[in-house]
Amino acid sequence: MKKIFIDGRAGTTGLRIYERLAERPDIELLTLSDEDRKNTEKRREMLNSCDIAFLCLPDDAARESVSLISNPDVAVLDTSTAHRTEPGWTYGFPELDPAIAANVKAAKRIAVPGCHASGFIALVRPLVAAGLISPDLRLTCHSITGYSGGGKKMIAEYDDPNRSVLFDAPRQYGITQQHKHLKEMVKISGISTAPVFCPIVSDFYSGMEVTVPLFKEDLLNGATVADVREVFRKLYTGPIVTYAENASEGGLMAANAFSGKDTMQVTVEGNEDRILLIARYDNLGKGASGAAVECMNMVMGADPAEGLAI
């Protein structure tokens, strides 16, 4: 039985991880009281007593937690932005590549991907790796998410019965093109230039739809949309990340279609000239807590899908 500690259990991501693990017979959850959870020495004790530590904290707090760990046997899964592009940390998206999957199984330091970044990287990295698009191609990415991605503060704002009418419509953000996920989107996908990134939050609790458009001319060496589909078909065979044909709901695609699930669906729409690469998943599932638990399962040597909503 593995001992698990969630540093930051009170946050949205931490709570979802706790819910997934609470009933598992192969896990002992170590917890701190409300009085002790901000006590540095109590946290240090827990962080060094567990087998696996989840960090569900702001970036600086996550860095502090790592600095408190002296036990070399503790595996750390950080859900913050702090370590996703840092040397010595494994990026926790095992479906991208067998080498990444092997690293996740053996790693002691795993950075859980960002929610928006997960979809973008799932769509772009395989095409760069297969030589279908150039790493120098300048891309655009649209991503719509449920409001739970903004954490407790945003959830409270959307749930407020006296909220502004502005919350009724989709709202684009990150408009300065400085979104915190851009660094990992560039590094992990293997591109050389950050995409024009247009994230949008909308009035539904959870779910996410990421779209990367391409022109036929963007494909290298005469490649076609059929070649693009074949890359995804061979790579994403499930059960967590799956390629699907004709995935729309009558020509529409709902961003909340995978709300409550820990899976991701990748599909290709558009036509031969204008191609839409689309990933749909739950921003709290494969975009956060579900991805973290999947990585934990692999570190433990368990089925990656154990305890996940498939």
Side-chain angles (χ1 to χ4, degrees):
M1 180 178 290
K2 297 293 185 181
K3 295 180 179 180
I4 309 295
F5 176 59
I6 305 170
D7 197 4
R9 181 167 67 90
T12 306
T13 301
L15 283 171
R16 291 289 291 261
I17 292 173
Y18 183 86
E19 290 168 358
R20 285 163 167 78
L21 302 184
E23 302 302 321
R24 284 183 54 167
D26 57 340
I27 284 171
E28 178 186 352
L29 280 171
L30 307 181
T31 60
L32 289 173
S33 67
D34 288 341
E35 292 76 20
D36 289 339
R37 64 186 179 86
K38 293 188 178 181
N39 181 311
T40 300
E41 290 310 310
K42 294 290 187 180
R43 288 173 50 234
R44 186 196 305 272
E45 180 181 344
M46 285 295 187
L47 287 164
N48 286 284
S49 299
C50 65
D51 297 300
I52 300 173
F54 289 95
L55 308 183
C56 304
L57 301 161
D59 288 3
D60 287 344
R63 294 186 185 98
E64 179 196 43
S65 290
V66 173
S67 74
L68 297 175
I69 300 172
S70 56
N71 183 349
D73 295 326
V74 174
V76 180
L77 293 99
D78 183 11
T79 69
S80 81
T81 314
H83 299 104
R84 291 175 186 159
T85 59
E86 290 297 304
W89 286 75
T90 293
Y91 196 72
F93 200 136
E95 292 83 4
L96 292 174
D97 188 303
I100 292 179
N103 289 340
V104 169
K105 291 178 181 179
K108 293 297 184 184
R109 296 292 183 268
I110 300 171
V112 180
C115 55
H116 295 287
S118 293
F120 179 82
I121 292 165
L123 297 171
V124 174
R125 179 188 169 105
L127 301 187
V128 173
L132 267 64
I133 61 174
S134 168
D136 297 325
L137 183 63
R138 297 172 72 86
L139 296 167
T140 297
C141 176
H142 297 273
S143 183
I144 184 165
T145 181
Y147 59 79
S148 59
K152 285 188 171 181
K153 180 176 183 292
M154 184 172 284
I155 291 170
E157 290 173 341
Y158 271 89
D159 288 346
D160 185 346
N162 298 313
R163 71 187 195 183
S164 164
V165 68
L166 296 178
F167 286 76
D168 296 345
R171 298 187 297 159
Q172 187 166 315
Y173 64 104
I175 56 178
T176 62
Q177 293 299 301
Q178 298 296 320
H179 195 282
K180 64 181 182 178
H181 290 179
L182 283 168
K183 283 180 65 176
E184 65 187 284
M185 289 164 73
V186 170
K187 180 175 180 178
I188 307 302
S189 65
I191 57 176
S192 59
T193 304
V196 175
F197 181 40
C198 307
I200 298 167
V201 62
S202 193
D203 188 14
F204 60 98
Y205 182 73
S206 71
M208 179 164 277
E209 182 172 343
V210 176
T211 302
V212 177
L214 297 174
F215 287 102
K216 179 181 179 180
E217 292 77 13
D218 295 330
L219 302 180
L220 299 176
N221 303 316
T224 67
V225 67
D227 297 318
V228 172
R229 291 189 171 105
E230 188 61 17
V231 167
F232 293 140
R233 184 181 294 110
K234 288 182 177 179
L235 182 61
Y236 297 135
T237 58
I240 296 172
V241 182
T242 306
Y243 173 74
E245 295 272 9
N246 304 315
S248 75
E249 299 90 32
L252 302 171
M253 297 195 74
N256 65 349
F258 289 82
S259 179
K261 299 291 186 181
D262 293 312
T263 52
M264 175 186 286
Q265 178 197 78
V266 170
T267 191
V268 180
E269 297 289 344
N271 55 48
E272 290 293 336
D273 294 317
R274 300 181 307 284
I275 303 161
L276 298 177
L277 313 177
I278 301 171
R280 294 193 294 177
Y281 49 105
D282 189 338
N283 56 288
L284 297 178
K286 184 59 174 169
S289 305
V293 172
E294 176 189 357
C295 290
M296 181 207 72
N297 286 334
M298 296 180 70
V299 171
M300 291 174 56
D303 182 339
E306 180 71 26
L308 299 183
I310 300 298

